[in-house]
Amino acid sequence: MTAADTVLRHDDAPHPHAFTRAEVGWTPHLPPLAEEELTERHYDGLVDTARAKNDYFRLLARDPEVLRARTLVDKDIFYNVADGLPRADRELAATAASRRNGCVFCASVHSRFAAHHSKRQDDVDRLLDEGVSADLGERWNAIVAASVALTDTPSAFGPEHVARLRAAGLDDGEIADVVHGAAFFNWANRLMLSLGRPVAPA
């Protein structure tokens, strides 16, 4: 029997009942590679060896070249902050996309980063609790609105979103960072939601 023929069930793993900044688990529908199966090629795809402990990344490591490309894009969007948008605002874009898509796991991870880097825990929690229409102040409202438009469908994002971001003080490089953060997580949410499901915090 191949991995493609094996669907994992986790009926005893409770679903989260709400969006949260608490650490949410994730469980796969297909078996990840076991750590002892990982080769040098797989570790090259993981980029960070510590990710070998993570079910999600060991599942993606079944296609290590694609995983490597995905991970390097992820790192460049969120960690390359020498120029462009501050880290907190990049994490906000990811959180807004995840909240809109219903990806409780990704929203939990990136809301923690957004809260940590911005020191605006109450606003981040408002986004999680009230949804993407929450009033977070105009700069963050503009970032959320642009992220939501991209998440709904790329063609919903238009000149009015760019104008609003500019009016909120973002330059072209920072606007590109909003687009990158939202677009990456719009894709990443769908991958994570397809390959497994979130598990409620312990």
Side-chain angles (χ1 to χ4, degrees):
M1 182 177 291
T2 67
D5 298 320
T6 305
V7 177
L8 304 179
R9 294 187 61 88
H10 304 279
D11 297 328
D12 58 341
H15 285 266
H17 293 297
F19 287 90
T20 177
R21 280 192 287 122
E23 290 196 23
V24 172
W26 183 84
T27 189
H29 296 317
L30 296 171
L33 293 170
E35 279 192 69
E36 57 269 22
E37 293 181 82
L38 297 177
T39 66
E40 184 175 339
R41 176 174 167 242
H42 294 121
Y43 278 108
D44 185 60
L46 287 165
V47 180
D48 292 332
T49 57
R51 293 187 174 194
K53 301 292 184 187
N54 184 291
D55 283 348
Y56 179 63
F57 291 114
R58 289 202 321 278
L59 180 54
L60 297 185
R62 290 186 176 280
D63 194 338
E65 288 75 27
V66 170
L67 173 58
R68 178 176 176 78
R70 171 242 177 256
T71 300
L72 293 176
V73 169
D74 180 19
K75 286 179 171 291
D76 197 43
I77 290 170
F78 290 97
Y79 294 95
N80 185 5
V81 293
D83 296 302
L85 205 62
R87 176 78 184 275
D89 292 352
R90 299 178 193 218
E91 298 293 350
L92 175 68
T95 303
S98 301
R99 181 63 173 83
R100 183 66 159 191
N101 274 331
C103 190
V104 176
F105 180 88
C106 291
S108 74
V109 171
H110 292 279
S111 65
R112 285 197 301 276
F113 284 132
H116 170 76
H117 289 286
S118 69
K119 311 304 181 191
R120 293 174 59 178
Q121 290 88 347
D122 289 347
D123 284 329
V124 173
D125 288 343
R126 188 172 298 113
L127 172 61
L128 294 177
D129 293 343
E130 298 177 16
V132 296
S133 62
D135 184 3
L136 310 176
E138 181 51 25
R139 180 184 174 92
W140 272 22
N141 288 348
I143 292 171
V144 169
S147 300
V148 167
L150 283 163
T151 299
D152 286 344
T153 180
S155 61
F157 178 84
E160 68 276 16
H161 296 97
V162 174
R164 186 176 182 185
L165 289 165
R166 283 184 178 146
L170 279 69
D171 63 26
D172 287 353
E174 291 171 324
I175 292 168
D177 287 334
V178 171
V179 170
H180 296 152
F184 184 88
F185 266 87
N186 189 20
W187 169 81
N189 295 158
R190 285 164 166 76
L191 185 63
M192 191 153 230
L193 289 167
S194 298
L195 294 176
R197 70 167 179 82
V199 176

